[in-house]
Amino acid sequence: MAGLDFLNQEIDQLKKDGLFRKNRVLSGPQGARAVIDGRPVVNLSSNDYLGLANDPRLKEAAIDGVRTWGAGTAAVRTIIGTMTIHQELEQRLARFKHTAAAIVFQSGFTCNSGVVPAIVGEGDVIISDELNHASIIDGARLSKAAIVRYRHRDMGDLETKLKQAGSARRRLVVTDGVFSMDGDIAPLPEIVALCRRYDAISYVDDAHASGVLGESGRGSVHHFHLDGQVDIQVGTLSKAVGVLGGYVASSQNLIDWLVHRGRPFLFSTSHPPAVTMACLKALEIMETEPERHQRLWSNTAHFKGKLQALGFDCGHSETPITPVMVGEGSRAMEMSDRLMAEGVFAQGIAYPTVAKDKGRLRTIVTAGHTIADLDEASAAFAKVGRQMGLIR
Ligand SMILES: *Cc1c(COP(=O)(O)O)cnc(C)c1O
């Protein structure tokens, strides 16, 4: 055994467990229908909630960005990589989120990995929902603060953990707004009340709530009428907004602090103009075309209703993310393959993304689907579900 030989064993094990995957490949744009591995299918696995990723107006904005501002910025934000369009996007996001200020990072992932270590460190405690996103976990690990996990959405357990952290210098409570693998929503009113009672910082990662929850997709905080009551809101520009990036919406002080201590902001190059211009156009469309948001939710109700009527176990989903619980991870992968043969793509999700016995298909409905797309998909689910003995 030498060098990277240990990987032979690891890869063999993945294959033995039925968990070795090659990436599915698009040979055209992202969308409700897409050509995946050379096959036209109904696509139930993108995060393109509002159907903006391939919108002609976003594409024009991106082209205009290239023509006017160039292909890249060739600098980090804090040296000479800030253009007026970057500032414009941040101001627009702050208005959209009803916060004093906002700051854009390269991605939602870099937001979490950069923000958490900027606000807590040794002597502090991070209290985190056990199903939080990997980028929150990585940010927590980088921070050197103690990490305590509370049971998923369990407010009694959160309160216990807050009490136990009473002597820490600072307490940070962090949660996904919408949980990415289950589609359920964090109980923010209770979390905010507990943070107040136990003097903790509240932090919501709204990657899957941005564009989905609240008026015009303002997010989970707005959905619960909690504007001004959550300390830190993280959002993504990579999912419903259809482009790429992450942002923090918060107080002016926190944004100023992140300009000095948010490491990805300081040490990684800023967004190319095409990205920023396309994001600005997406926000404009989100605010002026509420019908997209309405269609997202009516499509969600239609498809979720079909799956439940067929008898599938859809967990506790409350959003366009609807899991179909299967059990073993390898069974989830098998079901995904069988659906693909029927012209439907739904990603199988297995360990380590979810617990070993919680393998599932994760479906995501978008505003871009037609009712015919969704009915075709649910017919394929019915056929494959019966073949595999998941429904009768
Ligand atoms: C997708 C996701 C991220 C990462 O966002 P990107 O912009 O894709 O890097 C962060 N947090 C949560 C909860 C997510 O679902």
Side-chain angles (χ1 to χ4, degrees):
M1 294 282 275
L4 292 176
D5 285 355
F6 73 97
L7 284 176
N8 293 337
Q9 239 176 341
E10 298 285 353
I11 299 288
D12 281 348
Q13 190 62 47
L14 283 177
K15 288 180 176 163
K16 239 180 263 162
D17 294 343
L19 298 178
F20 183 82
R21 307 303 290 176
K22 285 218 179 340
N23 286 335
R24 301 281 193 189
V25 181
L26 288 166
S27 46
Q30 185 63 270
R33 282 186 179 266
V35 181
I36 301 180
D37 291 346
R39 203 171 194 297
V41 295
V42 177
N43 177 10
L44 290 174
S45 293
S46 87
N47 300 313
D48 187 21
Y49 289 105
L50 299 172
L52 290 174
N54 191 40
D55 187 285
R57 294 164 293 179
L58 268 71
K59 294 200 278 192
E60 276 309 312
I63 291 164
D64 184 31
V66 171
R67 290 229 166 87
T68 310
W69 297 92
T73 68
V76 301
R77 287 287 303 273
T78 51
I79 297 186
I80 193 56
T82 298
M83 294 168 165
T84 56
I85 50 175
H86 294 116
Q87 289 183 312
E88 203 183 312
L89 178 59
E90 290 172 338
Q91 285 158 7
R92 179 148 202 154
L93 283 166
R95 282 202 305 277
F96 183 67
K97 299 290 285 186
H98 300 156
T99 57
I103 184 173
V104 171
F105 282 62
Q106 294 83 358
S107 68
F109 197 106
T110 56
C111 265
N112 286 325
S113 64
V115 175
V116 176
I119 53 173
V120 289
E122 241 170 283
D124 300 328
V125 178
I126 298 165
I127 308 176
S128 173
D129 188 290
E130 64 183 345
L131 295 189
N132 278 345
H133 192 256
S135 54
I136 295 175
I137 297 167
D138 284 13
R141 286 178 181 156
L142 285 169
S143 75
K144 302 199 176 74
I147 303 167
V148 175
R149 301 187 335 156
Y150 64 93
R151 283 194 298 274
H152 180 50
R153 297 171 77 222
D154 182 334
M155 294 298 98
D157 197 34
L158 172 57
E159 181 158 21
T160 304
K161 302 283 155 66
L162 276 163
K163 280 183 186 156
Q164 287 166 354
S167 61
R169 181 181 62 165
R170 284 198 281 274
R171 286 153 293 284
L172 172 67
V173 174
V174 53
T175 182
D176 284 12
V178 168
F179 290 87
S180 48
M181 295 299 144
D182 294 80
D184 51 352
I185 303 174
L188 288 189
E190 290 82 359
I191 290 174
V192 165
L194 285 170
C195 284
R196 221 174 262 142
R197 188 166 326 141
Y198 293 95
D199 185 25
I201 304 165
S202 50
Y203 184 132
V204 177
D205 175 0
D206 252 351
H208 280 285
S210 312
V212 174
L213 289 181
E215 181 211 350
S216 300
R218 282 179 167 73
S220 61
V221 172
H222 192 264
H223 167 77
F224 283 114
H225 309 291
L226 291 169
D227 282 341
Q229 299 186 58
V230 170
D231 294 310
I232 302 168
Q233 298 181 61
V234 165
T236 183
L237 303 166
S238 326
K239 288 174 177 152
V241 177
V243 193
L244 172 70
Y247 60 89
V248 186
S250 183
S251 67
Q252 187 66 54
N253 265 349
L254 179 72
I255 302 314
D256 288 344
W257 182 241
L258 292 173
V259 170
H260 293 84
R261 291 290 186 276
R263 289 170 69 84
F265 188 88
L266 279 83
F267 297 111
S268 184
T269 297
S270 57
H271 273 168
V275 166
T276 305
M277 294 289 277
C279 288
L280 277 163
K281 181 56 75 178
L283 283 167
E284 181 189 316
I285 294 171
M286 285 164 68
E287 291 193 277
T288 52
E289 294 182 4
E291 59 273 19
R292 284 173 182 274
H293 191 241
Q294 284 153 14
R295 199 157 57 241
L296 169 65
W297 282 95
S298 58
N299 281 348
T300 295
H302 181 81
F303 188 62
K304 210 188 285 285
K306 287 255 170 180
L307 290 180
Q308 283 165 343
L310 286 167
F312 285 109
D313 173 3
C314 298
H316 305 288
S317 167
E318 305 167 77
T319 66
I321 300 174
T322 305
V324 172
M325 307 307 285
V326 172
E328 279 282 304
S330 58
R331 295 254 295 163
M333 298 311 180
E334 182 193 341
M335 185 165 179
S336 179
D337 289 342
R338 285 179 183 240
L339 282 166
M340 191 69 179
E342 301 293 327
V344 173
F345 180 57
Q347 177 69 49
I349 310 271
Y351 181 82
T353 307
V354 295
K356 284 197 165 130
D357 59 339
K358 293 273 170 64
R360 68 197 64 184
L361 296 192
R362 186 179 66 152
T363 69
I364 297 184
V365 159
T366 73
H369 288 108
T370 63
I371 294 294
D373 294 336
L374 298 174
D375 288 350
E376 192 178 318
S378 57
F381 266 85
K383 179 173 172 190
V384 171
R386 284 189 193 109
Q387 284 170 355
M388 293 184 64
L390 287 165
I391 55 169
R392 284 159 19 107

